[in-house]
């Protein structure tokens, strides 16, 4: 994996792929909302990608946002390297390997290549998505919450000054952040969220491509939030858990979506019927297993976050400590307050942390977590509610 490679190998790998990219010999795999929004390509203007392969049959032989979309079966007819833009990388990696393609030689994940390309080509820190948590209070209490809300006896809103200071520390080191993701808890519960959105746009809008908010849609939007959503570059990702009449779930969600439609606010709705149980109440793994689990987790989905002056390669590790469930080790995060934005070595530390670098090869949360190793996860009904 890239987190194992020294700086000179990463530089050479990036140079090789950058040369093929410039020559038009790099293709894409899977159109993703993380890179395409409103007709806007979020890779880089120098990337001459024109062909995408996608597993969705209804997209085949269409053009979307100026990109031709083909079936993966046509990959042999279009020789060249492939950047994978999908949210979940591991299943596509297995698919491409079954076709005889080799990772980092024939294909690699765009979420890895983007920060490396910007760093070694431009000496700039460019990250895909980093999450901030304005609050761990929530309108629901889901048993399998990734952020461990039911285990947190005192979930709270975080002060606006703290949120601003955290964002300032991060953006002092970052040149380009495609998405600032706001999650929770329920992010829309924060009483000063509109002010935070305004601040992010006014202070750092030249570096932040978009603010993406994940919500369960049970909040009645007030005028200030609706104004901020209209005026700022905000995209709302709504999770529909299909809870029927639980706390009037369906009718509240319908009113929320109607408000977004009325205001013309960009949004997408994802219906979730199944989740996975990923946490254990006890330590499960030996240290070699922990290292392997962490590598496999990084090899599928990235969930970095920042809070309290620290950058976490895994945002769930922050939430687990906030719930009092684990104690993070110093190697589980990067202390942003100790970094100098004018030192290239410090900025590279952030790039490597974003890619998941860990000196010991795992995080303390890994002792109790299956990560994103789906074959080990027990399926459960989405958003199963438990008493507070």
């Amino acid at each position: 994996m890239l987190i194992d490679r020294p700086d000179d190998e990463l530089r050479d790998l990036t140079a090789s792929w950058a040369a093929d990219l410039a020559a038009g010999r790099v293709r894409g795999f899977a159109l993703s909302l993380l890179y395409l929004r409103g007709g806007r390509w979020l890779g880089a203007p120098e990337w001459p990608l024109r062909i995408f392969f996608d597993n969705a049959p209804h997209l085949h032989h269409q053009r979307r946002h100026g990109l031709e979309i083909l079936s993966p079966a046509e990959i042999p007819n279009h020789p060249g390297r492939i950047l994978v833009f999908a949210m979940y990388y591991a299943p596509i990696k297995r698919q491409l390997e079954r076709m005889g393609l080799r990772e980092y030689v024939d294909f690699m994940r765009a979420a890895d290549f983007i920060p490396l390309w910007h760093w070694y080509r431009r000496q700039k820190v460019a990250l895909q998505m980093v999450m901030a948590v304005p609050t761990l209070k929530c309108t629901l209490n889901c048993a399998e919450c990734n952020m461990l809300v039911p285990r947190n006896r005192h979930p709270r809103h975080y002060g606006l000054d703290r949120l601003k200071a955290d964002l300032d520390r991060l953006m002092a080191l970052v040149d380009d952040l495609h998405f600032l993701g706001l999650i929770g808890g329920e992010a829309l519960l924060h009483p000063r969220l509109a002010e935070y959105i305004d601040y992010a746009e006014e202070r750092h809008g030249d570096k932040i491509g978009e603010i993406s908010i994940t919500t369960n849609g049970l909040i009645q939007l007030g005028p200030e939030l609706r104004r901020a959503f209209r005026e700022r570059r905000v995209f709302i990702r709504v999770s529909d858990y299909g809870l029927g009449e639980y706390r009037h779930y369906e009718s509240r969600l319908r009113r929320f979506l109607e408000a977004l439609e009325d205001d013309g606010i960009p949004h997408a709705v994802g219906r979730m019927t199944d989740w996975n149980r990923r946490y254990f109440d006890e330590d499960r793994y030996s240290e070699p297993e922990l290292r392997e689990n962490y590598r496999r987790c990084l090899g599928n989905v990235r969930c970095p976050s920042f809070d309290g002056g620290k950058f976490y390669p895994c945002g769930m590790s922050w939430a687990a400590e906030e719930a009092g469930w684990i104690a993070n080790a110093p190697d589980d995060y990067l202390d942003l307050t100790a970094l100098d934005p004018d030192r290239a070595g410090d900025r590279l530390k952030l790039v490597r942390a974003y890619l998941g670098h860990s000196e010991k090869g795992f995080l303390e949360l890994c002792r109790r977590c299956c990560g994103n190793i789906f074959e080990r996860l027990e399926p459960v009904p989405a958003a199963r509610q438990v008493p507070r």
Side-chain angles (χ1 to χ4, degrees):
M1 292 188 67
L2 295 182
I3 59 173
D4 303 323
R5 301 194 179 197
D7 186 64
D8 58 344
E9 287 189 21
L10 292 176
R11 185 185 302 274
D12 290 345
L13 176 73
T14 305
S16 172
W17 276 75
D20 273 8
L21 184 65
R25 292 192 294 268
V26 175
R27 308 294 187 243
F29 194 117
L31 292 177
S32 171
L33 286 177
L34 293 176
Y35 296 93
L36 286 167
R37 191 79 91 222
R40 204 157 45 92
W41 169 242
L42 297 175
E46 298 91 338
W47 292 16
L49 298 180
R50 292 293 178 266
I51 295 176
F52 264 70
F53 308 101
D54 201 293
N55 283 321
H58 70 279
L59 295 177
H60 295 165
H61 303 289
Q62 295 189 28
R63 296 189 69 86
R64 293 288 179 92
H65 308 292
L67 301 169
E68 184 180 6
I69 309 169
L70 301 176
S71 163
E74 299 183 63
I75 287 176
N77 301 325
H78 298 273
R81 288 170 155 173
I82 298 172
L83 285 174
V84 178
F85 290 85
M87 173 76 79
Y88 297 108
Y89 177 65
I92 289 181
K93 174 185 174 181
R94 291 192 293 269
Q95 178 182 0
L96 295 177
E97 286 175 337
R98 286 194 296 269
M99 299 172 68
L101 303 182
R102 297 161 295 169
E103 188 178 27
Y104 305 125
V105 176
D106 303 306
F107 69 91
M108 70 182 294
R109 177 167 44 182
D112 294 333
F113 180 72
I114 286 174
L116 293 176
W117 186 88
H118 281 278
W119 179 255
Y120 291 114
R121 190 176 181 89
R122 296 174 162 180
Q123 286 283 288
K124 291 184 178 295
V125 178
L127 309 180
Q128 173 194 338
M129 174 183 274
V130 180
M131 300 180 298
V133 183
T135 180
L136 280 173
K137 293 189 176 184
C138 193
T139 50
L140 297 174
N141 201 43
C142 304
E144 312 304 333
C145 175
N146 281 344
M147 302 301 282
L148 297 140
V149 167
R151 297 178 185 269
N152 192 322
R153 295 191 175 186
H154 305 288
R156 56 188 173 128
H157 299 312
Y158 298 97
L160 182 61
D161 289 343
R162 169 176 167 163
L163 296 173
K164 289 180 177 180
D166 280 340
L167 184 61
D168 290 344
R169 288 190 189 100
L170 178 71
M171 299 311 297
L173 294 152
V174 173
D175 298 290
D176 184 16
L177 176 60
H178 290 181
F179 297 97
L180 171 62
L182 303 183
I183 61 172
E186 172 52 67
L188 300 185
L189 281 176
H190 195 285
R192 304 185 70 180
L193 185 65
E195 294 177 70
Y196 180 69
I197 293 171
D198 287 337
Y199 181 83
E201 176 78 14
E202 292 166 4
R203 183 69 178 268
H204 303 291
D206 59 328
K207 296 182 178 182
I208 297 174
E210 187 172 273
I211 297 173
S212 175
I213 302 177
T214 301
T215 174
N216 58 37
L218 298 186
I219 298 296
Q220 183 175 353
L221 293 174
E224 270 301 286
L225 274 179
R226 295 179 73 160
R227 175 203 57 78
F229 292 171
R230 289 193 304 268
E231 294 180 359
R232 308 303 185 182
R233 287 170 292 177
V234 174
F235 187 89
I236 308 296
R237 301 177 67 88
V238 184
S239 300
D240 178 359
Y241 299 132
L243 295 180
E245 289 311 307
Y246 176 80
R247 295 189 179 181
H248 307 290
Y249 182 91
E250 298 294 344
S251 57
R252 292 166 68 184
L253 177 60
R254 184 171 58 252
R255 288 197 298 272
F256 180 84
L257 294 174
E258 287 171 353
L260 298 182
E261 293 284 352
D262 290 345
D263 287 359
I265 297 165
H267 63 280
V269 182
R271 182 68 183 267
M272 299 185 184
T273 57
D274 295 306
W275 277 0
N276 297 99
R277 181 174 289 119
R278 69 169 60 209
Y279 297 122
F280 308 112
D281 285 320
E282 70 283 340
D283 297 356
R284 283 286 183 101
Y285 305 108
S286 66
E287 288 210 356
E289 289 174 322
L290 289 170
R291 294 188 186 95
E292 180 60 22
N293 287 356
Y294 184 58
R295 290 165 62 88
R296 292 181 66 188
C297 186
L298 290 175
N300 193 22
V301 180
R302 294 281 166 76
C303 309
S305 71
F306 63 101
D307 186 88
K310 300 172 182 176
F311 180 91
Y312 295 83
C314 170
M316 278 69 87
S317 67
W318 166 80
E321 183 171 56
E322 193 73 0
W325 197 47
I326 67 165
N328 283 317
D331 189 41
D332 291 356
Y333 55 82
L334 181 66
D335 185 357
L336 298 179
T337 66
L339 302 184
D340 183 347
D342 295 323
R343 278 204 300 263
D346 283 1
R347 287 155 56 82
L348 179 57
K349 287 179 182 178
L350 178 57
V351 174
R352 293 186 72 92
Y354 178 79
L355 293 175
H357 178 73
S358 165
E359 290 294 336
K360 67 176 183 287
F362 61 89
L363 311 179
E364 289 303 304
L365 180 61
C366 299
R367 300 181 187 276
R368 300 183 177 186
C369 180
C370 280
N372 287 295
I373 307 170
F374 291 152
E375 63 267 27
R376 293 185 178 179
L377 302 184
E378 177 187 348
V380 295
R384 180 172 63 90
Q385 297 300 296
V386 294
R388 294 187 183 275

